[in-house]
Structure formats: C-alpha cells, structure tokens
Amino acid sequence: MVMMRMVVLLLFVMMVYVLLMNATVESTAEFDPYKVLGVTRSASQAEIKKVYKRLAKEWHPDKNKNPEAEDMFIKITKSYEILTNEEKRASYDHYGQTDNTHTNGRGHHGFRHFYDNFYFDESFFHFPFNNKGGRDFADSKYTLHFNQYINEVVPDSFKRPYLIKITSDLCFSCIHIEPVWKETVQELETLGIGIGVVDVGYEQRLANHLGAHQTPSFLGVVNGKVAFFHYAVVKGHLMQFVEDLLPQRLVEKVTDKNNKEFLKSWHELNKPHVLLFDQVPSVPLLYKLTAFAYKDYVQFGYVDQGLSETTDLLRKFNINTYAPTMLVFKEDVEKPADIIQAKGMKKQIIDEFISNNKFLLAPRLVNQKLFDELCPVKQFHRRRKYCILLITGEEESFATGNEAFLSLASANTNDVLRFAYVYQRRQQPLCDVLLKNKDSTPPQVVILERRKGAGKILYKPVLGGWNGSKEDKHKLLEELERLQKDPSILNNDAVLPELNNEFTSMFLIRWIYTAYDYLSEIIDDLLHNNWREMMPLLSLIFSALFILFGTVVIQAFSDSSEDKQPKTKAKEASKAENGSPNTSSTSSRPPKKNFVEVTELTDITYTSNLVKLRPGHINVVLVLTDSTKNILLSKFAKEVYSFTGSLTLHFSFLNVDKHSGWMAAVLEYAQDAMQIDTDEDEVGSRKVDYTGYVLALNGHKKYLCLFKPVYTGEDLDSKPEEEGGGSRSRKGMTRSRSTTLQIHHKLDRLGLWMERLMEGTLPRYYVPAWPSLDKITVNK
C-alpha cells in the first residue's frame, strides 16, 4: 500500500514537471523576434531596419492608444536589438537564446527564456527595495546628486555633453534596457562624454529640476540646457542623440575651393586652424566632441578624402590616405606647425595634440581670458612666465615691424617666454598704463611679468621703439638674455586694467545661432512630447504673444490721428480738461530743434492756429507792437525754448498795433480776466498797454490762461543823477535805456508761468466764442 502511494506520488511529480517544461518551452517559443517583426530568417539588416521603423511608428504608445501597444512596442524594440546584433542573432538562431552567455542545461535555459518573455532577468529576484546600498554597482559610480549636478555637471557641460538616465528601484522596464545602457555607456565613455544616473527614489529634487517625470527616461545636457530622448532605446539611437546635442557649425567642411579662405582666417579669428583628413563622408563624433571642447581656442575643419574636390589638398600636404591625419596651422598657412597621423586616434592623443597647439605663435590679446592663460600670474619661481608684448597698430605702415616680431616669435624655443601683441586703438587703457612716457609712440616692445594681486605687473620697455630692424632684434634678444640671468631688470611696476573684449561685436551673431538652436529644441519637443507636458510652455508662449500684440494695438489706438481715431481725440480732450496736455510725457521731452518756430497770428492763420486747433493742443501767443517786436521775440524764444519738445504746444505772436480790438474783445469775453485787469487803476484812466502779455489759448475747449508781465530788472531811473552841467542830456539817455530794459524784463517770469501751464495749475478763463480777427487797427 505504501509502495503504491509512492508510485502515485512519483507519477504526479513527473506529470507536474512535464507540464512545467512544456509551459516554459511554449513560453519560450512564443517570443520569436522574426515573427514579431514579420521578417524571414534570411532578412538583411536593411530590411530589418526598414520594417522596424514602420512598426515602431505604428505601435508607439504616444500615438497608438491600444492597451497592448506598450507591450508590443517593447517586443518590437527587443526583436530589433537581437536581430541587429550579429552575436545575439547567431545565438538565437543556434540555441534559441538571446543572452551572450550559453548554458548547457535545458531546464535553466527554458527557465531564463520564460522570464525573458516578460523582460525580466534573474536580477529581478535581487531587487533592493528601499535599500540604497544594493543598487547596481555599475551605475553607482555615475549616480548624481542635486548639488553635484549644479556645481559640476552644468559648468562641465560647456566643454562636453552629458547623457543622463532617470531610473528607480521599482522600474521594471529599466531592467529591459539595462544591456543597451551598459553597452552605450562603455562606448561613450571612451569618447569623453559625461555619464550620469538619477535615482528618482533618492533624488526627487534633482528629477523635478530636470523635468523628468517618468522612468525610465534619458536626457542630455549641453551648454547648461536639457534635451530629452524620445526614440526607441537602441544603442544607435542613443549615439545619434548625443551627437545631435552638439551645436551646429562646430566643424567646417573644407575642399580645394575654400581651403585658402579657411586657413587665412587665423588673423581675423586669432586662432590656430586644425584640419582632419579622413575617408568617411561624415565628421566623426570624436572629432566633433574635440571641436566642442576647444571651440574657444581652435577653429576646426574636416577634409573628406573620398571627394574628388579634395585631391589638390591631399597632394599639397602629402596626406597618407590609409590613416586619419590631423594638421594644425598657425600664422604660416602654407606649412603646418604640427602633424599627427594614426589609424586608431584615441581621445587622449587628440587632446594632448590640441592642448599643445592652443595658441598662435604670437597671438593678439583680445580679451582678459586669453591674457590670463597666455601670461599667467607668477605662482612660484619655477613657473614664472615672461610676456613680450608688442604695442602696435592696424595700419599698413606697421606691417614690417609686425612681421619682424612674428619671425622672432617663430624662432623662440624657450617656454618661459610668451610673445603677444595688442592694437593700441582697441586696448587703449592698457597701452596708456604701459606707455607712461609721452614721447613713447607705437610700435613699442614691453617685457612684463604678472604678479599676485589684481592686475599688478613688473615691466620694462625696450628703449628705442620697434621698427623690425636687425638692431631692434639684437637689442631685444640682449634684454631677454639679461632677464634670464637677472629678473630684477624689470624695475617698473603698475596695475593693469582689465582688457576690452574685442569680440563683443560678434555677440549678435552668436545670439542668433543660440536662438536658432533653442527654437529647434522647442519644435522637437512639440513633435514628440504629449500635450499635457507641453501645456506650461504653450501657455507661456500664448501669454507673451497676447501681451505683445495687445500692447501694439493699444499703442496704435492711442497714437492715431483725429481723423482716423475719434475716440482718441475725446480721450486727449479730457486730459486737457483735467490737467495740462500730456504733461507727464512731454514736459521732460528734449527739444527736437535748435530754434523756436513762432508764427504770426493773422486773419489767414487765425482759423488753423486757434479756432480749429486740435483737441488737447494749446497755442501760446505773445502780444507785442512794432517797436517791441525784436526785443520781445528774442526774450520769448529764450524763455520757451525748453518747452518746444512738447507735441501739443504751438507758439505765435499777435501785433497789437494791428489787432488791438481783438485783444480787448477777448478780455471782455473773459469776465474773470477783465476783473483782474480792473483791479488795477489802468482801466478807465488810460489805455491799457498789452505789450508783453502772453495768452495760452485752447481753441477746442475755448479757454485761455493769461500771463501779465512783471518787471524784475534793474531800474536805472532810481539811481541818483550825476552832478554836472550835462545832467539833462544824461537823464534823457538814461530814460531811453531804461525803457528798453523794462521791455526786455517784462518776460522774466515767463519760464515759471510755462511750468505751471504744463502742470495744469494756472487759472482758466472761458470764452463763449472766439472773436474774429478781420479788422486791422490803423496806426496813428
């Protein structure tokens, strides 16, 4: 009986084992990369790539709302990864296995594929839930923290791009992309690209700062800007993504047609030029990364050896077409200053080659950064550097001396000596300090050494100037020999100002390029991001457009003319009624002309200058006579000149000898003004003298402001008469002169009155209608 039970139990165990084996085999057979992509086993790489692009576009989760789209997209990506890798494809064809390591046991083989069907690995059973120390050791050295990103990654991104992975402990999809990530990182690190990993579970602050809200995701950082990766996680796509992060126009394509123009631009750009000769049609990524790292020092060009347009260049420089060749050119465009050639150029070799050729033989000091690197501050005795500086000009007359100085710099082999030159016109503050002697004029040579402290130097000018003659060269070489033996010959000290940046004029061009790159990123985000993620950006854009166009529309309505915009006229009229016309904007406006335009108020100009004057506009009218015309107009122009910048003020004069009736009629209409006049005893006893009166007339609102002259000048009549026989004649001359001065001083307080007019604090006298100006009074 016991035996029977054991047999039954054994049969049951064997049945369960067979069922499990069948299940694992069936699950393994379910995942067939050829069936997923719908290609045959003999399909070429081009066919596989073409089918993959079509299926990936069709099943992308952002575009396909099918619930199974995400799983199908993962299968498509996994299949593409297997079939495009020769080793994995061969392994699958022979063993039905996609891993790099082969196992002999069928049970373990089936077990692995059962879980591979769900994109898990055996590491699934070792997840470090909430265990920081259990994370993948390979990623631990790339882990980023917030402060590290701000203080190290962002500044370093101006020299090399960064690829950052966003992950978390509970991210099951992250396990699927781990082999691709490791393979990509291994290749990118050899190129010098920065790698980072952000674990959302431990660095939520940094993830929010980067704008990463899902795992897994990839992003790149270059020049402090963040760009997101939107394609299938394949090594080729990640490599292309990193290459696209780099700015455009880093490397110029050079052929037989433009090689002379490229090499001769060293003088304008003040940089050495490097040419890379290679047989591939596109610029290698390693060369682009090098150009990005040294973009501030060197100009880079690329020559495709496979083009027929580059045969003259290959022949001219005797280039070996079997290995990449790199040439660096400095001031001599016909002969390279240095050369390197190797089949497998490594990053370290290229960096060392470029670092040794960052500067021209005698560069021009164009900014403070270049001065600090070329002539560093002395730290201790063994690292001291002496800077031999030529102060010269850009004119053709300085060419001989400049060429002689360059030839001397080319022959220099002493690393302690650094040759450079400046243009006096562009670096005037620096040259004024070094050329203290007024007799010293360019060209001049100065030997200097920088010391600790803000701009402190020790220097010695070479006597006799610099013309580039043999005597000048011999004299300079003698001074340099003495300097090597006795540094104390630098007996002058000074504090140099900061150098002017001569390339600031190129800021606009750089800004345009930056704006173009930024717009390209925005367009790329619009094409790939979902609308929920793009809502803040779209809201910002539409808000800015609304404010911009709203401001333009309001400005157009406020500045329109009376004929086109009647509403604006009413608005301006209300301003004139409640205060002075546009006092805040026009009172401080500077005069547009260097003279005052004053027109005479006659029966011809009366209607346009007063009766039909535009709303909000005021005509300031001076009342004068024929005898006082020249004196009063001169004084009037001086007093009102500072107010001619106002667009609402007009200036005229009225000859009371011709139109005395009009003046009386206006003041008769304005009863308040007339009451003021009658306060004085002038009315009724004798004729009122209106000479020197000023009227501010608002033709539209029919009111006036009145200025009555107040004499503030010197009264010569009050002086005691001189004794003597000629006292009567002197008295007559004094009275004549006194009358002239009194007329001149009638407008002394007009400037203060004009200020009150602009402030709107003057009393106003309204008239029912403006009297006509037809009648002319006959002079008696």
Side-chain angles (χ1 to χ4, degrees):
M1 190 66 179
V2 176
M3 195 69 179
M4 195 65 151
R5 290 179 179 178
M6 292 181 60
V7 171
V8 172
L9 182 61
L10 181 60
L11 290 174
F12 176 77
V13 171
M14 291 179 64
M15 187 180 297
V16 171
Y17 176 77
V18 171
L19 290 175
L20 287 175
M21 288 294 297
N22 290 336
T24 56
V25 172
E26 289 176 1
S27 62
T28 302
E30 286 179 4
F31 178 72
D32 186 348
Y34 293 103
K35 290 183 179 180
V36 172
L37 295 181
V39 296
T40 62
R41 289 183 175 268
S42 60
S44 63
Q45 293 291 334
E47 293 175 348
I48 295 172
K49 187 174 183 181
K50 182 178 180 181
V51 172
Y52 165 73
K53 286 184 176 181
R54 177 176 57 81
L55 293 176
K57 185 177 181 181
E58 178 183 353
W59 290 95
H60 197 283
D62 292 342
K63 298 181 180 180
N64 194 325
K65 301 306 179 182
N66 192 319
E68 299 179 357
E70 185 174 357
D71 294 337
M72 188 62 185
F73 183 75
I74 293 175
K75 291 182 179 181
I76 293 170
T77 306
K78 180 69 174 179
S79 302
Y80 178 73
E81 177 189 343
I82 295 172
L83 299 184
T84 53
N85 188 304
E86 297 296 338
E87 294 183 3
K88 291 183 178 181
R89 184 176 181 179
S91 175
Y92 181 82
D93 291 341
H94 288 86
Y95 309 106
Q97 179 174 311
T98 59
D99 290 348
N100 293 329
T101 56
H102 298 168
T103 55
N104 297 324
R106 284 287 298 230
H108 181 66
H109 165 74
F111 174 79
R112 289 293 301 277
H113 274 278
F114 174 78
Y115 284 100
D116 284 344
N117 187 34
F118 295 91
Y119 307 103
F120 300 140
D121 199 82
E122 66 273 4
S123 59
F124 170 76
F125 301 101
H126 304 284
F127 263 175
F129 296 105
N130 298 324
N131 182 10
K132 187 173 180 179
R135 276 178 287 177
D136 188 359
F137 177 77
D139 283 348
S140 61
K141 65 177 181 178
Y142 305 120
T143 303
L144 294 179
H145 307 286
F146 182 81
N147 293 333
Q148 181 185 3
Y149 173 81
I150 297 297
N151 299 326
E152 298 179 12
V153 174
V154 173
D156 196 38
S157 67
F158 289 86
K159 297 181 181 179
R160 61 171 180 165
Y162 272 78
L163 180 64
I164 298 176
K165 180 180 73 169
I166 310 297
T167 184
S168 67
D169 289 342
L170 300 178
C171 174
F172 298 105
S173 301
C174 300
I175 304 169
H176 159 63
I177 64 173
E178 194 63 28
V180 180
W181 167 253
K182 290 181 179 179
E183 186 179 359
T184 306
V185 167
Q186 185 177 1
E187 184 167 347
L188 291 180
E189 271 196 310
T190 59
L191 300 176
I193 295 172
I195 305 297
V197 176
V198 177
D199 193 322
V200 178
Y202 304 103
E203 285 296 333
Q204 186 64 48
R205 180 186 178 189
L206 178 55
N208 293 336
H209 178 78
L210 295 173
H213 304 297
Q214 61 182 6
T215 57
S217 59
F218 297 90
L219 56 90
V221 181
V222 67
N223 288 334
K225 297 185 297 183
V226 178
F228 279 87
F229 177 79
H230 303 291
Y231 303 96
V233 183
V234 182
K235 176 185 171 184
H237 291 173
L238 288 172
M239 298 288 292
Q240 187 63 43
F241 170 69
V242 172
E243 187 171 354
D244 293 340
L245 289 174
L246 298 173
Q248 303 296 323
R249 298 168 296 276
L250 279 174
V251 182
E252 182 177 350
K253 292 290 186 71
V254 179
T255 61
D256 296 335
K257 296 181 180 180
N258 64 343
N259 73 90
K260 291 183 179 180
E261 179 183 356
F262 173 77
L263 295 176
K264 287 183 178 179
S265 62
W266 70 266
H267 188 270
E268 178 184 357
L269 299 176
N270 198 42
K271 295 178 181 179
H273 285 55
V274 174
L275 280 179
L276 174 66
F277 294 80
D278 205 347
Q279 291 183 340
V280 293
S282 59
V283 182
L285 178 57
L286 177 59
Y287 193 58
K288 286 185 178 181
L289 293 169
T290 305
F292 179 69
Y294 294 94
K295 59 183 181 297
D296 294 333
Y297 302 96
V298 182
Q299 193 72 14
F300 291 83
Y302 180 73
V303 180
D304 182 4
Q305 299 178 0
L307 296 178
S308 58
E309 294 86 356
T310 60
T311 53
D312 293 343
L313 272 174
L314 301 178
R315 189 183 307 109
K316 179 179 180 180
F317 298 113
N318 194 22
I319 300 300
N320 183 1
T321 58
Y322 296 101
T325 306
M326 193 175 292
L327 307 179
V328 59
F329 295 85
K330 296 186 177 180
E331 286 85 349
D332 188 357
V333 298
E334 299 296 329
K335 182 180 179 182
D338 203 353
I339 182 173
I340 182 176
Q341 188 177 46
K343 275 193 173 183
M345 281 195 183
K346 302 297 183 182
K347 181 181 182 301
Q348 294 77 6
I349 299 175
I350 297 179
D351 286 344
E352 183 179 358
F353 178 74
I354 300 297
S355 298
N356 294 334
N357 295 281
K358 284 201 306 184
F359 304 111
L360 297 169
L361 298 175
R364 185 174 83 251
L365 298 183
V366 295
N367 51 46
Q368 188 66 33
K369 178 183 177 182
L370 180 60
F371 186 37
D372 293 339
E373 295 194 33
L374 196 67
C375 303
V377 177
K378 174 190 173 183
Q379 300 295 334
F380 45 87
H381 179 73
R382 293 184 179 181
R383 294 189 60 182
R384 67 186 349 162
K385 302 286 184 182
Y386 298 107
C387 197
I388 297 88
L389 186 63
L390 171 65
I391 302 175
T392 182
E394 304 177 59
E395 294 77 10
E396 189 66 27
S397 57
F398 296 96
T400 303
N402 296 345
E403 292 176 0
F405 185 79
L406 176 59
S407 65
L408 194 65
S410 303
N412 174 53
T413 57
N414 192 344
D415 189 52
V416 177
L417 304 178
R418 299 289 179 86
F419 288 79
Y421 70 96
V422 293
Y423 287 144
Q424 184 185 26
R425 184 176 61 85
R426 301 191 184 187
Q427 301 292 345
Q428 191 66 47
L430 173 73
C431 298
D432 291 343
V433 173
L434 296 177
L435 301 178
K436 289 183 178 179
N437 189 354
K438 295 183 179 180
D439 298 332
S440 300
T441 57
Q444 294 284 337
V445 176
V446 178
I447 305 173
L448 61 89
E449 179 187 14
R450 300 185 66 189
R451 294 298 183 108
K452 292 182 179 179
K456 186 177 181 181
I457 63 166
L458 297 177
Y459 72 99
K460 181 182 187 302
V462 179
L463 301 178
W466 177 266
N467 295 319
S469 61
K470 292 183 179 180
E471 292 77 9
D472 291 340
K473 291 183 179 180
H474 182 70
K475 189 187 305 180
L476 178 58
L477 291 175
E478 283 185 346
E479 290 289 345
L480 295 178
E481 289 181 3
R482 288 179 55 199
L483 180 65
Q484 298 287 337
K485 299 177 182 178
D486 183 15
S488 63
I489 66 172
L490 303 179
N491 50 11
N492 297 317
D493 63 330
V495 177
L496 295 181
E498 186 170 346
L499 271 68
N500 300 326
N501 189 355
E502 298 181 12
F503 289 153
T504 51
S505 59
M506 300 176 65
F507 171 77
L508 179 60
I509 299 176
R510 294 180 180 177
W511 184 86
I512 292 174
Y513 288 155
T514 304
Y516 173 78
D517 294 336
Y518 186 68
L519 288 175
S520 300
E521 292 179 6
I522 292 178
I523 294 173
D524 185 66
D525 289 339
L526 287 173
L527 292 176
H528 295 96
N529 283 10
N530 56 49
W531 289 106
R532 181 178 298 177
E533 294 178 351
M534 292 304 300
M535 281 303 295
L537 178 61
L538 294 176
S539 176
L540 177 62
I541 293 175
F542 283 113
S543 300
L545 292 176
F546 177 78
I547 294 173
L548 176 63
F549 287 105
T551 305
V552 172
V553 171
I554 293 173
Q555 187 68 23
F557 275 98
S558 63
D559 293 344
S560 60
S561 63
E562 178 185 0
D563 297 334
K564 296 182 179 180
Q565 300 292 343
K567 292 185 179 180
T568 307
K569 294 170 63 176
K571 183 178 179 180
E572 291 180 354
S574 64
K575 285 186 178 179
E577 182 177 357
N578 299 325
S580 62
N582 299 332
T583 58
S584 62
S585 61
T586 59
S587 60
S588 61
R589 188 182 304 227
K592 293 184 176 181
K593 303 177 181 178
N594 55 3
F595 62 91
V596 181
E597 184 176 355
V598 184
T599 59
E600 184 177 1
L601 202 63
T602 65
D603 56 338
I604 298 175
T605 61
Y606 182 70
T607 301
S608 60
N609 286 356
L610 179 59
V611 178
K612 292 187 177 181
L613 198 63
R614 292 175 58 184
H617 288 238
I618 290 180
N619 195 353
V620 181
V621 181
L622 169 67
V623 181
L624 48 77
T625 61
D626 289 333
S627 60
T628 61
K629 181 177 180 179
N630 294 335
I631 299 173
L632 288 180
L633 279 178
S634 177
K635 179 67 173 179
F636 180 72
K638 292 180 181 178
E639 293 293 329
V640 303
Y641 174 72
S642 60
F643 301 92
T644 56
S646 173
L647 301 177
T648 58
L649 290 182
H650 308 274
F651 302 96
S652 304
F653 70 90
L654 178 74
N655 193 333
V656 76
D657 290 339
K658 299 178 182 180
H659 307 287
S660 61
W662 181 88
M663 188 69 184
V666 169
L667 295 182
E668 184 179 357
Y669 284 150
Q671 297 179 2
D672 294 337
M674 198 60 194
Q675 184 178 358
I676 294 176
D677 290 339
T678 58
D679 289 343
E680 301 178 3
D681 296 334
E682 295 176 341
V683 177
S685 60
R686 57 188 177 89
K687 185 179 179 180
V688 179
D689 181 15
Y690 295 116
T691 306
Y693 277 50
V694 179
L695 305 176
L697 307 176
N698 189 317
H700 181 74
K701 300 299 293 183
K702 294 184 179 61
Y703 72 81
L704 63 90
C705 298
L706 179 64
F707 169 80
K708 296 178 63 178
V710 178
Y711 176 71
T712 60
E714 183 183 12
D715 190 357
L716 298 180
D717 287 339
S718 63
K719 288 186 177 182
E721 298 180 3
E722 296 183 8
E723 296 180 357
S727 61
R728 290 185 178 181
S729 61
R730 291 193 183 96
K731 185 177 181 181
M733 295 175 60
T734 303
R735 286 179 178 176
S736 175
R737 186 179 179 188
S738 173
T739 303
T740 303
L741 287 174
Q742 287 179 2
I743 295 172
H744 176 75
H745 286 291
K746 281 189 174 185
L747 302 179
D748 280 349
R749 296 183 180 273
L750 181 59
L752 299 176
W753 183 83
M754 288 293 297
E755 290 183 2
R756 293 184 60 192
L757 173 67
M758 301 303 294
E759 293 171 357
T761 58
L762 289 176
R764 298 173 181 178
Y765 309 107
Y766 289 86
V767 297
W770 296 111
S772 62
L773 198 69
D774 297 337
K775 297 181 180 180
I776 298 180
T777 305
V778 179
N779 288 330
K780 295 182 180 180

